[in-house]
Amino acid sequence: MKTQETLDVEYFLIKGVAKKGTYGCKEVTLRHTAYDNAIERVDYATINNYGEIRCYEIKVSKSDLMSSNKLSYWGDYNYLVLTKKLFDELNESASKNNPLDKSYWSGIGIITIDLPSGTVKHENNARKKQVSLTGRIQVLESIAKSACKQVENYCYLKGETK
């Protein structure tokens, strides 16, 4: 179950990146074709009219960021989305295991969202990653499947109990 803080960050992220010609989906499930059991989930993914795929991982607490949950970066551009409060807290700590260091050097963009105002800021721009044709097809298929599942749940199964 998502916390209210996570839902707020998700809302402001989607509102901040939604624009004409960009199509997004929450909770995109990705699978490695070679490893049927290797399932990853990205919090939000978009594709635009130019075929650019962007993946967003949302983290609202240090424990969530440091957990064993995999950060999935399958897009041409990949982002770690943090609350402004968490970003500032991590920047103030001088620990050797600061998770932001890895993101800065690996080309992952960092987006902060100030709650409750909803101000979205790119703290660090993402560098373009080379995604293979196979990887691109997997992501597009995963976005389509996840979007269909969400529409199905919203339109057809809304209000039903199991």
Side-chain angles (χ1 to χ4, degrees), residues 13-158:
L13 170 67
I14 293 168
K15 187 176 175 189
V17 300
K19 53 187 162 194
K20 189 175 182 180
T22 300
Y23 310 93
C25 184
K26 298 188 298 186
E27 300 294 330
V28 176
T29 302
L30 302 154
R31 281 195 167 85
H32 288 283
T33 53
Y35 313 102
D36 199 30
N37 293 339
I39 297 172
E40 296 180 30
R41 182 166 286 134
V42 65
D43 293 320
Y44 189 64
T46 63
I47 182 161
N48 65 20
N49 285 342
Y50 304 105
E52 293 175 337
I53 299 167
R54 297 176 189 267
C55 293
Y56 303 86
E57 281 290 340
I58 298 171
K59 300 296 176 189
V60 297
S61 69
K62 191 171 182 179
S63 61
D64 187 18
L65 184 60
M66 303 299 278
S67 75
S68 61
N69 293 339
K70 186 162 176 56
L71 297 173
S72 300
Y73 297 120
W74 287 53
D76 296 308
Y77 298 93
N78 299 287
Y79 300 90
L80 180 60
V81 182
L82 308 170
T83 62
K84 179 71 172 138
K85 179 181 171 187
L86 176 59
F87 178 77
D88 291 343
E89 178 186 320
L90 291 169
N91 270 335
E92 288 172 7
S93 77
S95 84
K96 289 182 181 179
N97 296 328
N98 188 335
L100 294 183
D101 291 341
K102 184 178 179 186
S103 295
Y104 284 134
W105 294 109
S106 62
I108 306 301
I110 298 175
I111 297 173
T112 59
I113 298 182
D114 187 34
L115 296 177
S117 73
T119 304
V120 177
K121 182 179 179 190
H122 286 256
E123 302 288 349
N124 186 46
N125 290 325
R127 289 194 306 264
K128 185 163 184 164
K129 179 179 141 185
Q130 199 62 30
V131 180
S132 69
L133 180 59
T134 305
R136 183 172 299 285
I137 291 168
Q138 285 177 282
V139 174
L140 294 174
E141 180 183 347
S142 296
I143 290 172
K145 285 179 177 179
S146 295
C148 287
K149 192 65 173 165
Q150 288 174 26
V151 167
E152 182 181 88
N153 286 339
Y154 181 77
C155 293
Y156 304 114
L157 303 177
K158 182 172 59 172

